[in-house]
Amino acid sequence: MTHPSPDADQQVFNQHRNLLFSVAYRVLGTAADAEDTVQDAWIKWSAADRSQVADPKAYLTRIVSNLALARLRSTRHKRETYVGPWLPEPILTIGDTAETVADAESVSMAMLVVLETLSPLERAVFVLKEVFDFSHAEIAEAVERSEAAVRQAAHRAREHVRARRPRFTADRARQREVTDRFFAAATGGDVNALMELLSPDVTLWTDGGGKVRQALLPVVGASTVANWFAAIGTVTYQGIEPADMKAELVEINGGPGVVFSGPDRVIATVTFDFDPDGRITTIHNVANPDKLQAVANGAAHDFGTQ
């Protein structure tokens, strides 16, 4: 019997690497953990008897789902004892994230925050079923549960997400336009222009992880949030003078966002959630330096589900 060469094995793995990262990131919410999980999947793939593998894509997805689920369970405690709000680790994404708005929505900060409230099993099942369209039987095999248990978890997760994640949002052109205006108003310190873009009960969530000074509770209300952002251009932040602060419009997690940088490092990312009229309802601001590595590296991900 001829076995595929190590190069061929590597090629097969690389062919599915983007998909594996896409699954792991949605299950885990952090790029660093997702990369580690993909690496662990490669080790398992290398050690497996691949002559017995009829469908490498399904096999690899099963490995990575299982590894991600185990890792999520083991990191759960760290997230529960985190200082201030725990937000997902932002990543740069490639224009109009894959083909569909649904793909973009499934990696949005807002969706990942909702997924954080599911149990690890519910989260893995939801990602595989709703995002990647796996059958209950395939998921049961991937997460090593009975099909009945998977159906139950899928139902609970779907209801939970539906209740917490209203499925309306402004169209992408409108989101981009509002983000452009927000960017100009924040960098220009224009409180009134900011106020016009914010929903009256807008909520700002900031994640400094205890490493940098951020609000430990959500900041609520258009006026408070507008003043918070208008101050960016006038105060020294994390030792960086306003004149040395750079802001850039980029695509983060499938939607328009802003990256703030100093001369030698990324300082924060800001992403938005919109109502149907295009007003900003939620802002997620990640400033924990441990969570900015993926953005600092500059690699943009394609989050297609194929």
Side-chain angles (χ1 to χ4, degrees):
M1 183 188 291
T2 57
H3 288 276
S5 70
D7 281 357
D9 291 332
Q10 179 83 58
Q11 211 177 342
V12 169
F13 188 85
N14 287 344
Q15 195 186 331
H16 299 299
R17 189 184 187 97
N18 185 52
L19 171 70
L20 301 181
F21 181 84
S22 294
V23 171
Y25 177 75
R26 286 176 172 98
V27 172
L28 290 160
T30 90
D33 284 338
E35 286 291 3
D36 287 348
T37 302
V38 171
Q39 207 42 50
D40 290 346
W42 162 248
I43 292 165
K44 276 188 174 284
W45 169 250
S46 306
D49 177 0
R50 291 173 301 280
S51 63
Q52 302 300 306
V53 176
D55 181 349
K57 180 179 168 184
Y59 182 84
L60 285 165
T61 309
R62 192 163 74 238
I63 290 176
V64 94
S65 303
N66 215 333
L67 288 167
L69 182 54
R71 190 177 283 265
L72 183 59
R73 287 197 176 106
S74 70
T75 56
R76 204 62 171 184
H77 175 67
K78 255 197 299 194
R79 297 186 188 185
E80 284 163 2
T81 56
Y82 195 77
V83 179
W86 190 97
L87 293 179
E89 186 180 339
I91 43 163
L92 301 173
T93 47
I94 292 166
D96 259 355
T97 299
E99 276 75 57
T100 67
V101 172
D103 284 347
E105 160 75 1
S106 71
V107 287
S108 69
M109 277 284 172
M111 177 59 91
L112 292 174
V113 165
V114 172
L115 293 185
E116 258 321 287
T117 60
L118 298 174
S119 75
L121 178 66
E122 286 168 353
R123 182 170 185 163
V125 168
F126 181 87
V127 166
L128 292 172
K129 183 82 190 88
E130 300 298 318
V131 182
F132 293 94
D133 204 22
F134 276 56
S135 70
H136 290 114
E138 288 168 324
I139 298 167
E141 204 178 336
V143 299
E144 297 174 347
R145 288 287 188 288
S146 71
E147 207 175 315
V150 162
R151 280 181 189 282
Q152 223 173 3
H155 177 73
R156 279 198 310 270
R158 201 165 42 246
E159 293 299 303
H160 185 96
V161 170
R162 192 178 291 143
R164 284 163 181 75
R165 180 79 185 114
R167 279 228 161 245
F168 57 70
T169 193
D171 68 61
R172 292 178 76 72
R174 177 82 174 126
Q175 290 181 27
R176 179 75 201 194
E177 179 214 331
V178 172
T179 305
D180 284 344
R181 286 169 58 198
F182 181 94
F183 179 78
T187 49
D190 188 339
V191 175
N192 291 333
L194 283 167
M195 290 278 287
E196 285 172 20
L197 303 172
L198 301 172
S199 162
D201 55 356
V202 61
T203 305
L204 163 65
W205 296 88
T206 70
D207 176 345
K211 308 281 173 83
V212 296
R213 224 177 96 230
Q214 289 287 306
L216 295 180
L217 295 170
V219 179
V220 182
S223 161
T224 321
V225 171
N227 281 300
W228 169 287
F229 279 100
I232 285 175
T234 63
V235 294
T236 301
Y237 180 70
Q238 291 184 40
I240 294 163
E241 297 292 329
D244 297 327
M245 181 88 78
K246 192 179 84 176
E248 189 187 356
L249 272 171
V250 292
E251 188 184 287
I252 300 175
N253 287 75
V258 183
V259 174
F260 292 94
S261 309
D264 60 348
R265 67 187 193 275
V266 172
I267 296 161
T269 62
V270 174
T271 51
F272 310 93
D273 217 12
F274 304 88
D275 69 14
D277 302 323
R279 285 184 309 180
I280 296 167
T281 54
T282 310
I283 303 174
H284 294 111
N285 170 211
V286 178
N288 179 347
D290 296 346
K291 291 188 177 180
L292 296 171
Q293 213 42 58
V295 170
N297 290 344
H301 295 270
D302 171 3
F303 265 92
T305 51
Q306 298 312 305

